[in-house]
Amino acid sequence: MVMNVSTAKGATPTTKSANSLDTPQEIQDRFLKLLVAQLQNQDPLSPVDNSQITQQMSQISMVQGISNLNTTMNALLASQSSQAAGLIGHAVLLSGNELRLAGGQAVGAASLAGAATDVQVDVLGAAGTVVDTLALGPRPAGDLSFAWDGKDAQGNAMPDGAYTFKVRATTGAVAVSSNSFSVAQVNGVTLSSTGPLLDLSNGSSVALSAIKKIL
């Protein structure tokens, strides 16, 4: 008859407080001691099945693997938090066409798929109507930025707030495709269970992965 593992020779019982948790290393050490004791005291006529030992070894390896994964994830989150904190005070580009007017100033950006002989930017109000149009002239392929002085087409100052914009780029009669980007400043960082979130000047919070460019 195989002796009970918990009372086998060579296995010294240990006590632990009810509220304390075993570390993966402690679990692994205790498992190996019990396994050795079980093998030393097994019935020679009825040895322990090898498949059971393999299954037990697999389980303890899984525990160790989870511990290593947790360590790696914690290190990754700490690195991301450090990177996010370094962005505070910087302006960043995000996908979108929001144009936020503050103190009579607003800036936006876009990326042209090809060179354009004429680029214009329509500034749109809340109802989607054109408030002003900015003539940027010819532009090469790639990134471009623009500034709006907060005045409508008649020169009237518009109230601060959120506007949107639309880029119209052409080469002759052919339209040139573009991607629009919003500009916002990083005011702070909020830690969440999924990683750090950047608190932006436009009132939103986004993940590091949402940043397209740091200005």
Side-chain angles (χ1 to χ4, degrees), residues 60-204:
I60 198 63
S61 295
M62 182 179 296
V63 171
Q64 186 63 35
I66 293 174
S67 174
N68 292 339
L69 178 60
N70 288 337
T71 300
T72 301
M73 289 302 297
N74 288 336
L76 178 60
L77 289 176
S79 175
Q80 289 181 336
S81 298
S82 177
Q83 292 176 356
L87 293 178
I88 295 177
H90 288 269
V92 294
L93 291 186
L94 311 164
S95 292
N97 66 337
E98 183 184 51
L99 192 64
R100 184 162 290 271
L101 180 64
Q105 293 292 327
V107 292
S111 179
L112 300 180
T117 57
D118 184 51
V119 178
Q120 298 187 53
V121 176
D122 291 329
V123 179
L124 310 175
T129 56
V130 177
V131 173
D132 193 16
T133 297
L134 309 177
L136 304 185
R139 291 298 179 96
D143 297 339
L144 64 86
S145 60
F146 62 89
W148 178 46
D149 62 5
K151 297 179 180 178
D152 64 13
Q154 289 73 44
N156 301 311
M158 301 298 294
D160 288 351
Y163 296 79
T164 57
F165 68 91
K166 179 180 180 181
V167 177
R168 292 184 289 117
T170 57
T171 294
V174 180
V176 177
S177 61
S178 64
N179 293 318
S180 298
F181 300 100
S182 299
V183 179
Q185 180 172 301
V186 180
N187 290 337
V189 176
T190 299
L191 300 181
S192 72
S193 58
T194 57
L197 297 176
L198 303 177
D199 300 327
L200 304 180
S201 56
N202 60 11
S204 65

Side-chain angles (χ1 to χ4, degrees), residues 5-114:
V5 174
S6 62
T7 60
K9 181 177 62 178
T12 303
T14 58
T15 58
K16 210 168 180 65
S17 64
N19 294 328
S20 62
L21 296 176
D22 292 333
T23 66
Q25 186 61 48
E26 289 174 333
I27 295 174
Q28 180 173 317
D29 291 344
R30 187 167 62 255
F31 168 80
L32 292 176
K33 289 179 181 178
L34 293 177
L35 179 59
V36 170
Q38 182 178 4
L39 294 175
Q40 289 176 338
N41 295 277
Q42 65 181 326
D43 185 351
L45 300 179
S46 180
V48 178
D49 189 353
N50 287 337
S51 64
Q52 295 180 8
I53 297 177
T54 301
Q55 182 179 6
Q56 291 172 337
M57 292 296 291
S58 234
Q59 291 173 346
I60 198 63
S61 295
M62 182 179 296
V63 171
Q64 186 63 35
I66 293 174
S67 174
N68 292 339
L69 178 60
N70 288 337
T71 300
T72 301
M73 289 302 297
N74 288 336
L76 178 60
L77 289 176
S79 175
Q80 289 181 336
S81 298
S82 177
Q83 292 176 356
L87 293 178
I88 295 177
H90 288 269
V92 294
L93 291 186
L94 311 164
S95 292
N97 66 337
E98 183 184 51
L99 192 64
R100 184 162 290 271
L101 180 64
Q105 293 292 327
V107 292
S111 179
L112 300 180

